[in-house]
């Protein structure tokens, strides 16, 4: 039997998908301000050719901290995930 949920129970959280060269799956990062972090990663990807640097981010999800060299980031994306509250 199907159970219906009201729209007040369904919330949406946005995560950052960080694609790393040589990794089979992307890292899923949960942060306070996903749009800001997304734009920061985009800027890092656009400027890594001038100087490779170590990027360190603290997150809220199962992955608490991530460190990656800027020249190892192949792509970044944002993903909306619905969940029940």
């Amino acid at each position: 039997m199907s159970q219906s949920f009201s729209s007040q129970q369904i919330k949406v959280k946005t995560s950052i998908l960080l694609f790393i060269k040589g990794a089979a799956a992307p890292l899923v990062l949960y942060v306070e301000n996903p749009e800001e972090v997304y734009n920061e990663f985009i800027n890092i990807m656009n400027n890594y050719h001038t100087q490779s640097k170590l990027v360190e981010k603290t997150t809220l999800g199962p992955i608490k901290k991530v460190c990656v060299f800027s020249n190892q980031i192949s792509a970044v994306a944002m993903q909306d995930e619905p969940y029940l509250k």
Side-chain angles (χ1 to χ4, degrees), residues 1 29 35 42 48 55 59 67 73 78:
M1 179 186 322
L29 308 176
E35 292 84 13
I42 291 294
Y48 89 84
V55 179
T59 64
C67 294
I73 301 171
M78 289 187 354

Side-chain angles (χ1 to χ4, degrees), residues 51-68:
Q51 180 180 2
S52 178
K53 66 178 186 175
L54 183 65
V55 179
E56 181 178 334
K57 285 287 172 198
T58 304
T59 64
L60 304 172
I63 299 173
K64 299 297 183 194
K65 188 173 277 196
V66 63
C67 294
V68 63

Side-chain angles (χ1 to χ4, degrees), residues 35-85:
E35 292 84 13
E36 181 181 312
V37 173
Y38 173 79
N39 290 329
E40 185 177 338
F41 277 122
I42 291 294
N43 289 334
I44 289 169
M45 286 176 50
N46 289 336
N47 297 322
Y48 89 84
H49 60 289
T50 58
Q51 180 180 2
S52 178
K53 66 178 186 175
L54 183 65
V55 179
E56 181 178 334
K57 285 287 172 198
T58 304
T59 64
L60 304 172
I63 299 173
K64 299 297 183 194
K65 188 173 277 196
V66 63
C67 294
V68 63
F69 282 106
S70 58
N71 63 351
Q72 294 301 307
I73 301 171
S74 60
V76 63
M78 289 187 354
Q79 174 177 284
D80 288 336
E81 301 175 4
Y83 68 99
L84 292 175
K85 185 169 183 180

Side-chain angles (χ1 to χ4, degrees), residues 3-27:
Q3 183 179 15
S4 64
F5 298 100
S6 70
S7 62
Q8 294 173 348
Q9 293 175 325
I10 299 175
K11 303 292 180 188
V12 175
K13 60 183 170 182
T14 303
S15 62
I16 301 293
L17 301 177
L18 189 62
F19 294 86
I20 311 261
K21 293 178 183 175
L27 294 177

